[in-house]
Amino acid sequence: MRLHLLLPLGATHRGGDPAAIVDLARRAEAAGADGIVLAEHVVMGVDVSTYPWGRFPLEPSDPFPEPLVLLSAIAAGTTRLQLSTGILIAALRPAPLLAKQLATLDRLSAGRLAVGVGTGWHRDELTAHGLDFDARGRLLTDTIAACRALWGPQPATVATESFSFGPVYCLPAPMTPGGPPVLFSGTLTPRNVDRIVRLGDGWIPIMGQVADSIAAGIDQLRAEL
């Protein structure tokens, strides 16, 4: 069994100081944890009543440090922990920028990065980035497809429904061949199953799932793969 700790982003731990989260990660490594996980919200609207899993557990005004910057600091302060996001709202960053950020972090951490991604649930957050909330599923698929291309042979050309560009160079390449592992979150809709088996390395079951439904989902994904 491997133990990964979700560190308290979005909380007022020590005043929301990002350095306190780095300190927690160091302490987790010293205590024997196998990895740490960081969640993400870049901005929050005042109304969080549309949170799909009950009452939103935080206040919209709670501090939420940017996870990739914070993981870079944690990478520098640790030697063994796997560094993960759970989840990163991938489409909030342009695909070439996200590919470069993740490749750089993968190298800084000597291949310790795993990237959990999802569509996001908070309309105000995607709208603030100029994104179409109703297109967030397609944007997630196309963003990760572009990252996969940019982590491959160079120069890379990207052609998706959302954007096309290239040939371009995006270097340095990740330390992990083909890029860091990507895990998609969410329920196993046909579109999400397709994402996972074509572009992903794993699945993050949605909150509230029970063991039997997770086991059935694993069987389904193995069959589709």
Side-chain angles (χ1 to χ4, degrees), residues 6-214:
L6 178 64
L7 297 187
L9 289 187
T12 55
H13 174 69
R14 282 167 54 178
D17 180 9
I21 307 299
V22 177
D23 178 59
L24 274 178
R26 292 194 188 106
R27 291 162 57 194
E29 181 173 73
D34 297 292
I36 55 92
V37 183
L38 298 183
E40 161 163 84
H41 280 294
V42 176
V43 296
M44 295 294 294
V46 296
D47 181 9
V48 293
S49 63
T50 58
Y51 185 63
W53 302 285
R55 181 185 178 278
F56 189 62
L58 306 167
E59 295 298 326
S61 58
D62 282 344
F64 234 107
E66 202 285 325
L68 299 183
V69 173
L70 195 48
L71 284 175
S72 295
I74 293 171
T78 59
T79 60
R80 183 183 52 77
L81 286 177
Q82 184 180 65
L83 312 175
S84 305
T85 57
I87 54 113
L88 192 77
I89 308 168
L92 298 185
R93 297 160 185 80
L97 174 61
L98 180 62
K100 177 60 68 73
Q101 288 177 315
L102 295 176
T104 302
L105 182 52
D106 190 55
R107 283 200 163 270
L108 281 173
S109 64
R112 291 186 282 144
L113 179 64
V115 188
V117 296
T119 59
W121 60 271
H122 189 37
R123 183 180 292 270
D124 288 350
E125 185 167 29
L126 278 87
T127 300
H129 287 78
L131 301 175
D132 180 357
F133 180 81
D134 294 326
R136 66 195 187 281
R138 173 171 50 80
L139 287 169
L140 171 62
T141 300
D142 292 348
T143 296
I144 298 303
C147 287
R148 289 294 193 198
L150 292 166
W151 293 333
Q154 304 283 310
T157 299
V158 171
T160 71
E161 187 178 347
S162 302
F163 40 74
S164 299
F165 56 86
V168 295
Y169 290 92
C170 187
L171 295 167
M175 177 168 287
T176 305
V182 176
L183 297 88
F184 288 94
S185 67
T187 55
L188 292 182
T189 62
R191 183 164 60 177
N192 206 23
V193 169
D194 181 65
R195 281 191 204 106
I196 294 167
V197 300
R198 285 195 304 109
L199 298 170
D201 300 283
W203 171 47
I204 301 174
I206 207 70
M207 288 175 287
Q209 289 274 9
V210 297
D212 286 348
S213 64
I214 293 172

Side-chain angles (χ1 to χ4, degrees), residues 2 22 224:
R2 291 174 293 171
V22 177
E224 294 288 346

